[in-house]
Amino acid sequence: MLPTDSTKTLSFNRCITEGDLVIVYERHDVMKAVQVSEKGVLQNRFGMFKHSDWIGKPFGSKIFSSKGGFVYLLAPTPELWTLVLSHRTQILYIADISFVVMYLEIVPGCVVLESGTGSGSLSTSLARAVAPHGHVYTFDFHEQRAASAREDFERIGLSSLVTVGVRDIQGEGFPDEFLGRADSVFLDLPQPWLAIPSAAKMLQQDGVLCSFSPCIEQVQRSCETLKSSFTDIRTFEILLHTYEVREGHLPSWQDGDGVLASLKGCKKRQRSTNGQENSRPQTVLARRMGETRGHTGYLTFARLNCIR
Amino acid sequence: MSANNSEENLSGSQNRRITWDGCSVLLDINDGDRVLFARLTAGSKIKIGDKNCSLLPLIGCPFGSSFQVEVGAEGPFLAPLIPNAQGNGLSEKTDDQTMEECRDNRALVDNNTAQSLTGEDIDGMRRKGATGDEIVQALIANSATFEKKTAFSQEKYRIKKQKKYAPRVLLRRPFARSICEAYFKKHAEKIGFLRVDTLSLLPSLANVTAHSNVLVFDMLEGIVTGSVAERMGGTGYVCNPYCGTTPLPISIVRMFNFSDETCKRILSASLTELQPSDGENSTSGDQLVDECNIKEQQNKDTVSSSAKDLFNMEEISTTNMETDNNVAASPKCAKTVKAGEKAPSETIKHWKEHGFSSLIIAAPNLDAWDIAKDLVPLLSYSAPFVIYHQYLQPLATCMHNLQSNKMAINLQVSEPWLREYQVLPSRTHPHMQMSSSGGYLLSGTRISSSDQN
């Protein structure tokens, strides 16, 4: 997924080959991750697609099925991966992920500790941020989920950047081998205050911690615990509102047909009956989508106190 | 082992945790009340309240360390603050706070007669060498109403006096996050009202990572360019395109403390250089030149005022800063590389051959589609792009046009929403004030407009 050197970057010259992971795009809310193989076949509502037709074509190509329907083959990115990965747990989405990566001040070369791994949604973006020489050490207490995450990272080519460990961070803290080595720590745990003292020992001076909790009571308890070794404690919530955009015509109130049609909720183009010009001015209209996510979790950030 | 590599990288200037002579820092005064940028040199000073202090004691200190303004024999100076000594006076009070609070403010009358120490008394104490903390203690002891206040109210009073008589300065590393927050708080218009959460979405949606070739049209003084370069770790390239003959100013990039390797990978190139020479994808040459001249004129108007405003933002009263304007990051070394140099022709050839791996446009006062129609074709197929604007309508129009011209898929117009909370025992609630708009984003993925079989 991530270019390991400049020859692997997205390019007009780089084509799909056997073994590549592609994102099959049908619509913005219908996408699927597929591993390309010589004999592979994809079946969907548009028909049948042979993988062999894909090999040798550039990413971003439009591919037709046997029935004439089409899909697009996109190069995988952490954002697309978050939308297609299998949810073993509730995942973090792009608004929270982006804010976390910026607020934790993660740059290439950083060492980041994470717990719990969950479905690996955030881990993928963390890996992108620390590449090429940093590393993400992520822990989950659930052995099977840790194994699934490990498999996923293998599939998307991130195993050299992400190490998954099975460990109960709330009970045991982070392993001693990381003492004073972490640039940033991310916690997504039911009782993060139990892990905070250990996180404090792992962080480099001036390192940043983030704790993600759905409930305000968890946040209050975490902030209490953070006071002893941390400063600059801040709590946020972030959401991303999406807009629907369409082209339409808003008739004048003097246009009898137009007013009637709009009462019926008709969005089709108006055809005039009294000799006016047929093409009505179309405008681009935008408004927020109806029902939207109201809450994901609170993000609490804190900086390790500087002790001289 | 990759962890060892990261330790080597830590000695690179981007990740250094101790300040050095000539580095750029962020100074946080009184817990976020005032934030400003400074360059640490022997001669640089800072003015807090009515006191001018030298910044020399800050050189060679770890980022994250605090200082308190004290008044000594030679005038005011910044003394290092040891966090343990301050303790967290707050933690001593937690027992009080968890008990039922029986005091309230029914008997308190706000008529300015409660404090018995006068301004002259305080000056006298200073002359005798009292520390800021001692003055605060004295003010509390001489306040007739202090004991009658609730525990919360006492804490608020103590903090208020401390901020005035013993102001504190926190030394922070400039990162995209802190630079953006500082500008957004005080001079949001200079960065086109780009809020930190919106800024954080740009490198994510554009999939910025090491070895990328990112095309960034940045009219926000370089804050977007800087935050993109920050995520590339001295690999790949950031290209700032421009019309006409003058690249756009990217003065904020100097605040990031980038290494030479990173600076030399931030390049500029004109649109005509970047477009295919046979003109198959572009509008006719003449039309382009006219459009470009208009844009160039607009740019010229903004360049001179922004350079002056940078000094005001930085608030440095030393001449070193003024001469720094045209010189690279470190004043010591004349050979230091400056970010934003014109791209050499081999690099431009490479970009034309491979296409850019992503595109970011941040031009909140220009027409979005006008820029997108020229820059999106420079992307590789399947490359993501994101466009920031402070208004919704231009992005809606741009999205519609990209769709009807079959240039992109996965198009989305979104608006980030951010709210901060105060979390204190029995006093948890969102902040009373919040930012209502951080701008809008249009994201999408480029595809080839020709049908392929």
Side-chain angles (χ1 to χ4, degrees), chain A residues 126-194:
Chain A
L126 293 175
R128 173 177 61 186
V130 305
H133 296 125
H135 206 88
V136 179
Y137 297 94
T138 179
F139 301 91
D140 203 285
F141 71 160
H142 195 279
E143 189 146 356
Q144 205 157 6
R145 284 207 284 265
S148 303
R150 231 178 259 125
E151 272 166 36
D152 273 351
F153 298 140
E154 189 70 53
R155 246 177 110 199
I156 57 184
L158 294 183
S159 330
S160 58
L161 288 164
V162 187
T163 301
V164 186
V166 180
R167 192 178 171 100
D168 173 13
I169 299 295
Q170 278 177 190
E172 301 172 65
F174 288 98
D176 282 348
E177 66 176 290
F178 299 110
L179 284 170
R181 278 178 54 199
D183 294 284
S184 321
V185 174
F186 180 83
L187 300 175
D188 180 359
L189 298 168
Q191 299 171 296
W193 51 90
L194 299 177

Side-chain angles (χ1 to χ4, degrees), chain A residues 103 128 183 237 243 288, chain B residues 17 181 207 393 415 421:
Chain A
Y103 235 73
R128 173 177 61 186
D183 294 284
E237 49 175 355
Y243 282 77
R288 288 220 184 143
Chain B
R17 293 185 181 268
E181 282 189 314
N207 195 29
Q393 201 57 35
E415 180 188 10
Y421 280 72

Side-chain angles (χ1 to χ4, degrees), chain A residues 9 11-12 25 64 75 79 98 103 109 128 135 181 183 205 220 234-235 237 239 241 243 284 288 306, chain B residues 2-3 6 17 83 177 181 204 207 209 211 354 381-382 393 410 413-415 417 419-421 428 453:
Chain A
T9 321
S11 150
F12 288 125
Y25 177 99
F64 289 89
E79 280 61 50
S98 305
Y103 235 73
R128 173 177 61 186
H135 206 88
R181 278 178 54 199
D183 294 284
Q205 72 187 358
Q220 287 177 305
R234 298 177 73 174
T235 301
E237 49 175 355
L239 294 170
H241 293 296
Y243 282 77
V284 176
R288 288 220 184 143
C306 185
Chain B
S2 46
S6 82
R17 293 185 181 268
R177 150 199 168 173
E181 282 189 314
S204 284
N207 195 29
T209 184
H211 303 297
H354 295 272
Y381 302 130
S382 191
Q393 201 57 35
N410 201 18
V413 172
S414 39
E415 180 188 10
W417 180 90
R419 187 145 91 169
E420 189 168 358
Y421 280 72
T428 297
N453 258 353

Side-chain angles (χ1 to χ4, degrees), chain B residues 97-330:
Chain B
Q97 285 158 5
T98 50
M99 280 162 45
E100 285 282 306
E101 177 62 71
C102 35
R103 290 166 292 195
D104 56 38
N105 63 5
R106 71 185 85 190
L108 295 176
V109 177
D110 190 3
N111 56 12
N112 264 345
T113 57
Q115 178 58 247
S116 48
L117 279 184
T118 63
E120 285 133 24
D121 292 333
I122 293 169
D123 288 339
M125 284 178 74
R126 276 209 212 281
R127 278 194 295 274
K128 293 197 190 114
T131 64
D133 291 334
E134 284 164 359
I135 293 176
V136 174
Q137 292 289 76
L139 284 165
I140 290 174
N142 282 287
S143 163
T145 50
F146 188 78
E147 288 306 310
K148 296 191 212 142
K149 291 184 199 242
T150 63
F152 301 159
S153 192
Q154 288 180 347
E155 202 179 302
K156 250 177 139 165
Y157 182 89
R158 181 189 293 272
I159 289 172
K160 188 172 158 192
K161 295 304 170 195
Q162 181 258 301
K163 282 184 177 181
K164 184 167 177 193
Y165 293 101
R168 292 186 184 169
V169 178
L170 175 64
L171 187 57
R172 301 264 310 261
R173 260 195 302 180
F175 262 104
R177 150 199 168 173
S178 43
I179 294 171
C180 182
E181 282 189 314
Y183 267 94
F184 192 75
K185 194 166 171 172
K186 205 169 160 184
H187 292 288
E189 71 287 352
K190 300 243 171 50
I191 55 166
F193 304 93
L194 181 71
R195 201 174 54 203
V196 67
D197 54 324
T198 318
L199 176 63
S200 74
L201 280 157
L202 301 178
S204 284
L205 288 170
N207 195 29
V208 172
T209 184
H211 303 297
S212 313
N213 288 306
V214 191
L215 186 59
V216 180
F217 183 66
D218 184 346
M219 289 202 69
L220 308 184
E221 288 290 337
I223 192 166
V224 177
T225 305
S227 67
V228 168
E230 190 179 75
R231 297 275 276 268
M232 287 167 57
T235 64
Y237 286 100
V238 180
C239 172
N240 289 144
Y242 59 90
C243 267
T245 53
T246 332
L248 293 168
I250 49 167
S251 47
I252 295 183
V253 170
R254 289 187 298 130
M255 294 179 184
F256 281 80
N257 287 326
F258 285 142
S259 64
D260 286 350
E261 190 57 43
T262 302
C263 285
K264 85 174 199 244
R265 286 162 179 280
I266 300 173
L267 299 166
S268 56
S270 75
L271 182 63
T272 33
E273 286 177 292
L274 292 170
Q275 284 177 326
S277 30
D278 54 10
E280 74 177 33
N281 282 343
S282 57
T283 52
S284 77
D286 292 333
Q287 196 179 342
L288 205 61
V289 168
D290 288 334
E291 286 168 24
C292 286
N293 284 339
I294 297 166
K295 282 183 194 158
E296 189 191 334
Q297 195 48 49
Q298 286 171 340
N299 295 342
K300 278 205 176 111
D301 293 336
T302 53
V303 166
S304 45
S305 58
S306 63
K308 251 195 323 211
D309 291 336
L310 183 63
F311 298 142
N312 292 338
M313 180 69 191
E314 297 205 0
E315 295 187 39
I316 298 296
S317 56
T318 168
T319 51
N320 282 346
M321 197 55 228
E322 278 134 30
T323 55
D324 263 351
N325 187 33
N326 296 320
V327 163
S330 166

Side-chain angles (χ1 to χ4, degrees), chain A residues 3-6 9-13 25 28 57 59-62 64 72 74-75 77-80 94 98-99 101-103 105-109 111 128 131-133 135 137 181 183 204-207 216 219-220 223-224 227 232 234-243 245 247 284 286 288 298 303 306-308, chain B residues 1-3 6 9-10 14-15 17 62-65 80 83-84 88 172 175-177 181 196-197 199-201 204-205 207-211 230-233 353-355 357 379-383 392-393 396-397 399-400 409-410 412-421 423 425 428 440 445-447 451-453:
Chain A
T4 44
D5 58 64
S6 46
T9 321
L10 197 63
S11 150
F12 288 125
N13 302 334
Y25 177 99
H28 75 273
K57 296 227 167 70
F59 283 99
S61 296
K62 187 172 183 178
F64 289 89
Y72 290 94
L74 299 181
T77 65
E79 280 61 50
L80 293 173
I94 185 167
S98 305
F99 195 66
V101 173
M102 174 154 288
Y103 235 73
E105 297 174 349
I106 300 175
V107 293
V111 169
R128 173 177 61 186
H133 296 125
H135 206 88
Y137 297 94
R181 278 178 54 199
D183 294 284
Q204 296 238 8
Q205 72 187 358
D206 206 39
I216 197 72
V219 174
Q220 287 177 305
C223 288
E224 266 308 302
K227 274 190 209 155
D232 202 16
R234 298 177 73 174
T235 301
F236 297 92
E237 49 175 355
I238 178 169
L239 294 170
L240 200 60
H241 293 296
T242 47
Y243 282 77
V245 175
E247 199 182 31
V284 176
R288 288 220 184 143
Y298 299 100
R303 202 179 277 281
C306 185
I307 299 159
R308 293 209 255 143
Chain B
M1 212 1 234
S2 46
S6 82
N9 278 339
L10 282 175
Q14 192 172 347
N15 251 344
R17 293 185 181 268
F63 283 108
S65 38
N84 289 335
N88 279 315
R172 301 264 310 261
F175 262 104
R177 150 199 168 173
E181 282 189 314
V196 67
D197 54 324
L199 176 63
S200 74
L201 280 157
S204 284
L205 288 170
N207 195 29
V208 172
T209 184
H211 303 297
E230 190 179 75
R231 297 275 276 268
M232 287 167 57
E353 195 186 311
H354 295 272
S357 53
L379 287 175
S380 286
Y381 302 130
S382 191
L392 175 62
Q393 201 57 35
T397 309
M399 172 172 166
H400 175 77
I409 55 168
N410 201 18
Q412 175 87 273
V413 172
S414 39
E415 180 188 10
W417 180 90
L418 181 72
R419 187 145 91 169
E420 189 168 358
Y421 280 72
V423 179
T428 297
Y440 302 86
T445 306
R446 192 213 170 176
I447 46 152
D451 288 344
Q452 294 173 17
N453 258 353

